[in-house]
Amino acid sequence: MTSGTAVAQNQALQDEFNPYLAMAENFDIAADHLGLDEGVREVLRTPDRELTVSIPVLMDDGSMRVFKGFRVQHNFHRGPCKGGIRFAPDVHLDEVRALAAWMTWKCSAVNVPFGGGKGGVICDPRELSIHELERITRRYTASIMDILGPDRDVPAPDMNTNEQTMAWIMDTYSMHVRKTTTAVVTGKPLSLGGSRGRPEATGRGVMIACREALKKIGMRPEDTSVVVQGAGNVGGIGALLLHREGYKITSLSDMYGSVYNEKGLDMPAVMAWMREHRRLNGFPGAEELTNVSQLELDCDVLIPCATENQITSRNVDNIKAKLVVEGANGPTTAKAGKILDSRGVIVVPDIVANAGGVTVSYFEWVQDRMGYFWTEEIVNTRLEQTMVNTFEEVDAVAKKYGVSLRTAAYILAIDRVATVYRLRGVFA
Ligand code: NAD
């Protein structure tokens, strides 16, 4: 191979793994179907606002470190921005941009009155004490708070952040504005204006999306084997709920490795093991696999619930599932997605499959603003209605245009945002 070819191949891989380019590629396919003119495309593809902040933090040992944080607001046309905050060592601006744009399309697909935003802080939570995490969170919040607020931008948890992180953000914001403002974040603890059903909402939505897709191909839960990547809020809870519905979960993974049992994992026992040991390794009654081989297992359904770029041009030919349900954001590269489509693998795209989280976040925001809180049954019933309606709407668009569920979801979502944009016009 010449060095020129190697450079070109390397660039092609870098582009394939850039989540923002993946988002833009899927956006363009849908925009072509909608016949969107170049100007509107440009507006809808481009983030409205990007903020990068330096976060000085006094560490427990007395030293000072400066962390970098981002908040990207992709689009405000349908309402305040909405989207999680992730803490991870490899967070970068293009990733946050992509995640913010996916939030715009997700909120539009499930028809909740939000635009899309996302935030991230470059740090490794495993190396930080709880006090250091609190100081990072509070200073990050103070640095971005001019653009936050219940009517501006409402963060939520994402990778490595949780309801405690949201409580710190809510408190920091409230102290600055001199009043308790619960609706500034969602995914809060129940005792602090959180919603019943929110911790399970994304996993529950994944379970509903999986069920609706399987109905279309005439498969029953008890005959369906499922592999789940990621054992956190989305994957762990999703796998548990699917297990309760009668699906056979043959494998589950976390960042340290995978466990596999051909006959099906005892999910309550797996989750109890996780709570005790903080990792899956060593779970009795299961074989251990590498994370690479887990994705290539023989199964009916593969549910990636960890991070971006897991199904790529490198491994897509080895993926054996008939159905992929994207619990994570951006787990399939645009290139791999096209290959799955050409092989007839059904993919329920992230902006539909994991939209249960933002749906119940919307319910939380509504409840905070009303000061009146719903029962878990009401939350779950309304989530069920939203997920089923969205799946049906996306499926109808897919049939109308003769496209994949991913392109259909983008068509539905982009059309709604473009309609609102045309009605509001350009502010000058
Ligand atoms: P989390 O931090 O709770 O869990 C992530 C899990 O993935 C952990 O078990 C971790 O060990 C595992 N993991 C990380 N890298 C892995 C790898 N390479 N292979 C296997 N496992 C790996 O995060 P989460 O909230 O569950 O989010 C997971 C994904 O779902 C992210 O893409 C996030 O953006 C998306 N998402 C989350 C929500 C939500 O409500 N939490 C909503 C919508 C989308």
Side-chain angles (χ1 to χ4, degrees):
M1 194 193 301
T2 64
S3 67
T5 321
V7 170
Q9 281 183 354
N10 198 15
Q11 186 57 50
L13 258 188
Q14 270 187 35
D15 288 351
E16 181 186 346
F17 281 65
N18 181 320
Y20 187 68
L21 294 181
M23 185 291 298
E25 196 170 330
N26 286 316
F27 172 91
D28 281 335
I29 295 169
D32 286 344
H33 282 284
L34 285 167
L36 275 194
D37 68 70
E38 204 39 56
V40 176
R41 267 179 210 236
E42 195 60 20
V43 169
L44 299 189
R45 210 176 9 202
T46 314
D48 275 320
R49 179 148 53 187
E50 300 180 353
L51 186 59
T52 300
V53 294
S54 295
I55 308 162
V57 174
L58 192 60
M59 308 302 284
D60 290 350
D61 65 4
S63 65
M64 181 77 89
R65 274 181 68 187
V66 180
F67 296 86
K68 190 180 256 191
F70 309 104
R71 185 74 189 169
V72 174
Q73 297 177 332
H74 174 256
N75 191 286
F76 309 92
H77 295 122
R78 285 169 43 89
C81 291
K82 185 86 197 78
I85 292 171
R86 71 171 48 171
F87 286 178
D90 53 357
V91 171
H92 57 94
L93 193 51
D94 263 351
E95 177 185 52
V96 183
R97 279 188 186 121
L99 289 161
W102 283 323
M103 284 306 297
T104 302
W105 313 134
K106 193 182 305 181
C107 292
S108 177
V110 289
N111 218 352
V112 295
F114 291 127
K118 204 78 180 189
V121 176
I122 305 173
C123 66
D124 188 347
R126 287 174 303 182
E127 292 173 356
L128 298 163
S129 72
I130 184 100
H131 304 293
E132 290 165 341
L133 280 171
E134 176 173 355
R135 289 195 286 272
I136 291 174
T137 305
R138 287 188 182 277
R139 186 58 188 258
Y140 168 71
T141 307
S143 300
I144 64 168
M145 73 165 281
D146 285 344
I147 62 170
L148 292 187
D151 296 310
R152 292 194 189 116
D153 186 355
V154 185
D158 194 76
M159 281 175 78
N160 298 319
T161 55
N162 54 30
E163 55 177 38
Q164 176 61 74
T165 325
M166 296 306 114
W168 290 328
I169 296 177
M170 185 286 238
D171 182 69
T172 307
Y173 182 88
S174 297
M175 288 299 123
H176 279 271
V177 299
R178 297 288 189 262
K179 58 180 180 181
T180 296
T181 310
T182 52
V184 68
V185 280
T186 59
K188 296 178 296 294
L190 199 54
S191 51
L192 218 64
S195 174
R196 290 183 177 82
R198 176 61 184 90
E200 303 82 26
T202 311
R204 184 175 293 282
V206 166
M207 182 267 284
I208 297 168
C210 180
R211 185 192 67 206
E212 295 305 302
L214 284 172
K215 270 192 208 159
K216 299 278 174 198
I217 51 175
M219 285 188 68
R220 299 177 318 160
E222 52 275 31
D223 303 326
T224 305
S225 60
V226 183
V227 167
V228 181
Q229 183 197 39
N233 179 269
V234 184
I237 293 175
L240 193 65
L241 294 174
L242 283 160
H243 177 268
R244 266 189 217 154
E245 297 292 308
Y247 296 86
K248 186 165 73 170
I249 312 297
T250 55
S251 179
L252 182 70
S253 65
D254 62 17
M255 66 173 80
Y256 307 105
S258 313
V259 289
Y260 170 68
N261 186 331
E262 184 185 18
K263 296 198 175 78
L265 296 166
D266 175 354
M267 276 308 303
V270 174
M271 296 313 282
W273 177 271
M274 272 292 281
R275 275 193 299 278
E276 192 180 341
H277 301 271
R278 322 295 306 164
R279 57 176 66 199
L280 291 164
N281 296 132
F283 174 71
E287 228 177 282
E288 291 190 8
L289 299 176
T290 66
N291 283 347
V292 174
S293 54
Q294 191 220 16
L295 295 177
E296 300 174 3
L297 281 170
D298 224 337
C299 62
D300 297 308
V301 186
L302 175 61
I303 313 192
C305 301
T307 185
E308 297 100 65
N309 299 334
Q310 298 303 300
I311 305 175
T312 71
S313 58
R314 287 173 166 170
N315 65 358
V316 66
D317 292 334
N318 302 328
I319 301 292
K320 300 183 187 69
K322 301 180 188 74
L323 169 68
V324 175
V325 182
E326 295 184 333
N329 289 307
T332 312
T333 65
K335 194 169 176 186
K338 283 184 190 149
I339 298 171
L340 290 177
D341 291 346
S342 71
R343 279 178 34 207
V345 177
I346 300 169
V347 180
V348 186
D350 45 9
I351 61 171
V352 174
N354 70 35
V358 78
T359 301
V360 177
S361 275
Y362 166 57
F363 297 162
E364 182 174 330
W365 179 80
V366 168
Q367 292 170 77
D368 285 337
R369 290 163 74 100
M370 287 193 302
Y372 177 72
F373 291 86
W374 308 346
T375 63
E376 189 158 353
E377 196 192 344
I378 291 178
V379 171
N380 288 346
T381 305
R382 290 179 180 171
L383 170 62
E384 168 84 25
Q385 284 165 352
T386 303
M387 291 301 297
V388 172
N389 288 348
T390 302
F391 190 89
E392 284 305 324
E393 281 181 309
V394 170
D395 193 49
V397 174
K399 291 200 169 83
K400 179 176 164 193
Y401 286 84
V403 295
S404 67
L405 292 177
R406 186 187 313 279
T407 299
Y410 274 76
I411 290 175
L412 183 71
I414 293 168
D415 195 28
R416 283 185 179 144
V417 182
T419 301
V420 167
Y421 179 68
R422 289 192 198 96
L423 286 168
R424 289 182 65 158
V426 183
F427 170 76

